[in-house]
Amino acid sequence: MSHVMITGAGGPAGRALGIQFRGRSTVTITGLDMAELSGTDYPRTLVVPAAADPDWPVAMAAVITQTQPDLIIPTVSDELPQMAVLAAALGRTTAATPGAIVGSNAAATAIAADKLLTMWALERAGVAVPLFSAPDAFADTAEALAWAGGPLVVKPRISRGGRGVALIEAAEQADWSQLGPARIVQSFAGGTEYSPQVYRSPITGRSIVVVLEKTVLAQGRVGNAVTTVRLPDGSAPDVVAVATAAVEALDLVGPIDLDVRREADGRPVVLEINSRFGANSAAAPELLDAVLTEWLG
């Protein structure tokens, strides 16, 4: 029986994975989280520090060494770059082999983890993105709104989920002087929002793309998806194309969760990329099937 360790077991992505392991009799799972958990789909959970804690690398290395999992699946965005580096330090490659940490190389993971770096890399590769900038490019909110030609979105460059995301439609809604370099500004794409679920094979380089349409958002017009609908295969080829191009531009592999939205003219643009399983991955079980097939063999 294979042993799979999953970080962030109590978070949305971790819970979605726990559900998907139900009934998989050939795999046992252990969940890691920074808090004690109960009532989950994980038969065993362990507590580790938060990714920002200086003790995180030592604690994580100790857990991995003691339990010797056959596969490690990280689901916490802000730990992904550190996990890629830790993989190299422990000899736990991110290549598709048993014993690996599922994910991309350290450079690709770090770029995807920072929304400003992501936008730079995608724009350079010719992948469609909204207008974007660092806040210090503008003197005040009014100037930023004029640049965007309408509403704009301010969000943390490095974040977890939809925390700290704000839609600004009028100058009085934000004190621009309080926005520092840790944030990114994007023009607001007001059309339909999607959450493409992608698996890109580290062996063949090919991608599986499942398009989920976000039907209700936590903050009304922005934020995490409260509900989604899986679209029929082939019904949004332009969304599939831009999601695939984005993943390839950053050279990401494994499970990837994207946010894509249509501009007023219908063109889909990539808002951000999470190089991990997302909160809605249970609607795309093909991703986990592919991970277990290619990484565990």
Side-chain angles (χ1 to χ4, degrees), residues 259-279:
D259 286 337
V260 171
R261 197 154 188 165
R262 293 192 185 278
E263 298 272 22
D265 62 2
R267 181 184 66 135
V269 293
V270 177
L271 305 181
E272 58 186 76
I273 300 176
N274 299 300
S275 56
R276 55 165 174 78
F277 280 103

Side-chain angles (χ1 to χ4, degrees), residues 7-296:
T7 74
R15 293 196 301 270
L17 276 177
I19 291 170
Q20 293 175 72
F21 274 99
R22 292 175 185 170
R24 292 180 184 263
S25 59
T26 60
V27 181
T28 183
I29 57 174
T30 295
L32 303 185
D33 202 88
M34 62 182 184
E36 295 280 355
L37 299 177
S38 61
T40 71
D41 285 290
Y42 293 85
R44 177 172 70 155
T45 59
L46 302 172
V47 175
V48 294
D53 192 312
D55 289 334
W56 180 88
V58 174
M60 187 65 70
V63 168
I64 293 172
T65 301
Q66 290 165 10
T67 60
Q68 291 296 311
D70 298 300
L71 201 64
I72 302 166
I73 303 178
T75 73
V76 182
S77 291
D78 47 354
E79 78 180 7
L80 293 175
Q82 297 180 74
M83 189 68 85
V85 173
L86 185 64
L90 299 180
R92 288 250 177 184
T93 176
T94 56
T97 59
I101 295 176
V102 175
S104 306
N105 65 66
T109 302
I111 291 172
D114 186 315
K115 294 177 177 61
L116 182 57
L117 298 185
T118 299
M119 292 294 101
W120 281 344
L122 295 183
E123 183 180 56
R124 181 172 178 272
V127 178
V129 296
L131 289 174
F132 68 92
S133 179
D136 63 5
F138 312 106
D140 53 30
T141 310
E143 184 178 334
L145 287 165
W147 160 81
L152 54 83
V153 175
V154 177
K155 62 176 96 172
R157 286 172 53 184
I158 299 173
S159 64
R160 295 177 65 184
R163 299 174 189 174
V165 177
L167 175 63
I168 299 173
E169 300 182 83
E172 61 272 14
Q173 284 183 262
D175 180 355
W176 206 258
S177 65
Q178 299 302 308
L179 301 181
R183 294 182 179 272
I184 181 175
V185 183
Q186 292 177 328
S187 60
F188 176 62
T192 304
E193 185 164 349
Y194 306 92
S195 178
Q197 305 294 293
V198 180
Y199 177 83
R200 183 168 179 245
S201 170
I203 299 172
T204 67
R206 294 195 202 77
S207 294
I208 298 168
V209 184
V210 174
V211 179
L212 308 181
E213 181 178 327
K214 297 184 180 184
T215 50
V216 178
L217 300 177
Q219 295 168 260
R221 297 171 69 192
V222 295
N224 289 338
V226 177
T227 59
T228 62
V229 173
R230 177 169 172 157
L231 299 185
D233 292 347
S235 61
D238 54 350
V239 175
V240 171
V242 77
T244 302
V247 168
E248 292 178 352
L250 270 58
D251 195 25
L252 296 171
V253 296
I256 303 135
D257 172 67
L258 297 89
D259 286 337
V260 171
R261 197 154 188 165
R262 293 192 185 278
E263 298 272 22
D265 62 2
R267 181 184 66 135
V269 293
V270 177
L271 305 181
E272 58 186 76
I273 300 176
N274 299 300
S275 56
R276 55 165 174 78
F277 280 103
N280 301 301
S281 68
E286 298 96 321
L287 274 64
L288 181 57
D289 290 341
V291 165
L292 297 180
T293 297
E294 291 200 332
W295 259 273
L296 284 180

